[in-house]
Amino acid sequence: MLLQSAAANYTTLFTMFGAITAALIAGAGLLYQIRRTRALERDKATWAAELEAQKVQHQLDVDLEVKRRTWDHEVETAERERRRAEAEAERERAALLEATLHREVELGAAEYCEKLAHELSMLRILDLSRPLDLKKLYVQVRVQEQEPLRYLYDDELLTAIELEDLASAVVGQEGIEAPKKPPRPDRASPATLAPMEALQRHQRIVVVGDPGAGKTTMVRHLAFGIATRRGIPGLPDLPAYVELNHFIGSGHTSLLDYLAEFWADRYGFAGSRAHMEAKLTDGTAALLLDGLDEVLGGGSTEEATAAYNRVANEVNRLAARFPKAPMVVTCRRHGWRSGLVQFQVMEALDFEWAQIKTFIANWFGPKDVRSDGLVQALSGNSRLQTLAANPLLLSLIAIVYERDLELPERRAALYRRCVEVMLREWDSHRQISRYSRFTTDNKQDLLKQIAWHYHQLGQRYFAEDDLLALIAQYLPTIDLPPGDNRAILDEIAAQYGLLKAQAHGWYGFLHLTLQEHFTATALWERGPEGIEVATARRYDPWWEEVVLLLAGSLPDATPLLLGLLQLPADGSGREDDVLSLPDDDLFHTDLLMAARCLTGSPRIADTRLRQQIVRSLWRLLEETPYEQDRERAAQVLVGLLGSGGQLPEIIDYIADDQHSEDVRIALVDALGALGGRGAGERLLGLFTLRSELPGEVREHFIRALGKLRVGQAVPALLQELSKLQNSRPSSDMDTIARTHHLAAIAEALGATGGPADTLLLLLEQEAGSEWFGTLVRAVGDALAQLDDPSVPDLLLRFADRNGGWDLGGGSSLAGTYLNVAGEPGFRSLLDLVRAGDATGWEAVLIMVSLAEFSTRGHGRAWREDFLALAVDDSRPWQIRWLAMRCLDHLPGSVDELEFLTAHPSRNVAVSAAVTLAAWGAPGHLHLVQEAIVKHRLRPFIPLRSRDIRRSIGIASVRGRLMQVLAPYNDVAFSRRLTRAAIRAGID
C-alpha cells in the first residue's frame, strides 16, 4: 500500500514534475517565442527603420541627382545660351563687318565711278582739254553689224539650190530671158546702231574702224555713261575701262589682277577684285577694252602675234567665265585678226554730213561765225568733206581752221599744220614762252626721233627710263646737256600734250596717229632709204598708215609707188597697166596699196604712173570673177575718185547700161559706204532720172541712199514704193526680187526719216505674201531707226487692227515695239501673256521677243512674273521654256526651280536644268545630255520654216546650251551635246 501510495505519490510527483517541467518548458518556449517575437519585431523594426532610412537616403540621393542633373542642365543650357549668344554676336559682328565692307566697297565703287567720270569727261583732242558735255559737244559714233562667214542652214541651202534650178528651168522658154544670177535668198542690210544699243543687243561686240574713227572716244563715252548713270535699269553700273596696251605692258597675265591693282593705285579703290568678280558674274559690270590692235607692237612678227593671242585668249577666258557681263573691244580695221569667239563684229561708221555740221556747231558754239565758215569750206570741197567724216581728222580740221580760217587738202599736210599750231602758234596765241634754247624745230626733230625709234620696235608705249635715255642721247646733237632730258620731257608732255604719261613710268604719243605722222616724216627725211623701209614693211598692218602718210608727204611719190608695185625706176615693165605684175599676189595687194596711196592726193612727177594705176583698178574691177576683189577695187576707186571732181566719171559709169551690173552694183555700194554728201545727191539724181535702171541695180541705189541717209530721197523712195506695189511678179524669182526690193525701200525710209504709218501700211498690204518675214524684219529695223515718238502708239494700233502680234509665218513686230517702247513696252507685252490675252503662236512670239530683250539687261523688275509662268502647269511648255530662258539672266534660289527637273515633260525638266546651270548649279545637266542623246526633246518648232526658226532662234536648245555651258569651260561636253542635238535635229 505504502508502495502503491509511494508509487502513486511518485507518480503524482513525477506527473507534477512532468507537468511542471512541461509548464516550464512551455513557459520557456513561450518566453523564447515571446523573446524571439520581440527580437523579430525589433529586427523588423530595425529593418523597417533601415529600409526607411534607405528609402529616405535613396530619395535624398534621387533628389540630389535630380538637382545635380538640373544644375548640370542649367549649366549646359547657360553655356549653350552663352555660346549661342556669342555665335549670334559673332554673326552680327560678321554681318556688320560684311555690311561695312560691302558699304565701303560700294562707296569705293561709287567714288571710283565718280573719279573715272571726271577723268573721262575731259575730252582730250591733241592740245585741247575741255569738259565733255554729252549733250553739246560729243557726237555719237554709230556702228554697223558685220555679218561673219557661216555655213548655211539646210533650208537656206535648199532655197539657193531651188533658185538655181528655177533659173535653169526658165532658160530657153519662149519670151523669157534667163537671169544673170538668181537673187540671194535673204540678205537684209546690216543693222546700224548706237554703241549702247549694239552692246545691249549683242552683249559682246568688237568695234573695228580706221585710225581716228572715234573708237577710243566711243568706248570712253560708254564708260562715262555707265559711270554717271548708275542704277539705270537695263544698264550695268560698274565700267571697267582698260587700255589693252597698258595691260600688256604691266606684265600681268590676268586682266582682273591688272584692273584690281590699277584701280587701287590710280583711284584708291582697294579690295576691288571680289566686288568686280561679283558684278561681272551677275552682268552688272561691263568690260570696255580699248586698242586690241595696239598690242601688235613688238620686236618681231612673232612677238606681236604672241601679244595679240595672249590678250585674245584672256578676253575669251573672261567671256566664258562671266557669260552675263557685257564686253566691248575696239580695234583698228587692219589690225583685227579675229580670235574672239562669241563676239559680234561691228564697224565704226564715218560721220555723216549732219553729224559733221553738229560737231562743228558744238565745237565753235552757237554764236561763232567760224562755224558757218568751216561748214561752207567743207561743203565746197568734197575731198576735205571725205576727210571730215573721220572724227579725229574733223577735230584737226577744226583746230587748224580755228587758227588759219583756211584748210590744207591733204591729210599729211593737215597733220603737219596741226602739229605746227600746237608747237609754235598755240604758245604765241597765249603769249607763253618756253625753254628758250629748245626751239620748235628741235621739238619736232626730237618727236620724230622718238616716233621712229619706238615704231621700229613695234611699241605704242615706252618706259620712262628708256625715253629719258633716248632724249639724253639726242640733246648733245643740238648742243644741249643730256641732263636737261627731264625738263625737256616735262615740257613736251605737260605743256603741249603730244607726249603723255599713260601710266606710272610709261609714256606714249597722245594718239597713235601722231606717232605714225612723225614716223612718216622721219622716213621722208631719210630719202631713198626711208622709201625702201616703207616698201619692205607694206604687208605689216603696224606700218600701213605710215606708208599712206608718207605718200602724202613726199615731194614726189613716184619712187614709193614704184617700190610698192615692185617696178624698176626706169619705167620698164609697165608699158600698158600694172594689173598683171609678176611679183604681186593673188589678191593684188601691191596694186591696191599703191592705189590707196593715191587717195592722199600725193604729188607724182610721173603722171603716166597715176593713170596706169587708175586704169589697172578699172580693169581689175571689170575683169575679176571674184566678188571680194571687185568690192575692194570699187572701194579704192571711190576713195580715189569719188571725193573730187572725178565723181561724175563714176556716176556716168554707173548710168551706162552697157557695163556689167555686178561692177555697177559694186560702185554703188562703195559710194554708199564711202561717199560724202555730194555722192548721195548725185546718186539720188541718177536714181530719179533713170527709172529704167535694172531692178537689182535700183535696189542697191536704194540701199546706198539709206546708208548715206539722204533725207531728200524720201519722195523718190515713196514713189518707188508705190510703183513696186502696183506691179505683180510673173515668176517665183520675181516674187523674191520684189520682196527684197520692198525691204530695201523700207530700210532706206527708216534711215532717211520716212513716214512710219506708210511702213506699217506696207505690211498690211503685203500680208500673207511669200517671203513676208523678210519684209517684216526690214520694216521693224526701219521703225527702230526713226526718231519718231509716235512709233510705239502706231505699233499698238497696228497690232489691234491685225488681231495681235502674230503676223503669220513666225513674223512679229513685238521685238520692234520693245526696242522703241523700252521697259513700259516690256510690261504691256508680258501682261498680254500672263492674262491669257495672247495665246498660241502669238504668245510664243511675244515671249521670244521678251527673252531676247531680257538678254540685254531688261525686265529685271518682272522676275516673279517669269517665275510664275515657269512653274504654271497650265501653260504650254514653249511658254515655260521661254520664261525660264528669261530667268537665265535673273538668278535666284535653286529651290525655286529644282522641283521642275522631275517634271514629266522632258522639255520643262531640261529647261529647268539649263536655267539652274545658268544660276551656277549644274547638278542636273545630265538630264540635258540624256534627253538629247535619247531623242526625248520635242522640237521647239513643229514646222520647218526658215522665218519661224529665225524668229525664235534666241530660244533654241543649242543656243541656250552653248551659252550656259560656256562658264564651266567643259569644251568636250559642250561639243558632245551640240553634236547630239544636231543629229537629233533639235534647233
Side-chain angles (χ1 to χ4, degrees), residues 210-212 332 334 393 411 415 455 512-513 516-517 520 540-551 593 596:
D210 294 325
R332 281 191 178 185
H334 295 287
L393 294 181
R411 193 155 54 100
Y415 290 159
H455 210 81
L512 182 57
T513 299
E516 291 163 334
H517 161 71
D540 188 346
W542 178 249
W543 286 84
E544 180 175 352
E545 185 69 10
V546 174
V547 174
L548 296 176
L549 288 173
L550 175 62
M593 186 64 179
R596 290 182 63 203

Side-chain angles (χ1 to χ4, degrees), residues 446-460:
L446 175 59
L447 290 170
K448 285 181 283 189
Q449 181 77 11
I450 293 171
W452 168 246
H453 176 76
Y454 287 109
H455 210 81
Q456 287 187 100
L457 298 177
Q459 295 181 14
R460 169 70 173 90

Side-chain angles (χ1 to χ4, degrees), residues 55 95 132 184 229 287 305 328 363 388 438 512 536 539 578 641 649 716 753 777 816 840 849 893 943:
K55 287 182 178 179
L132 174 63
R184 293 170 179 167
R229 292 185 291 174
L287 276 176
T305 302
V328 180
W363 181 280
F438 192 58
L512 182 57
Y539 299 128
V578 290
L641 307 178
E649 179 182 348
R777 285 191 296 277
T816 301
S849 299
S893 171
L943 303 174

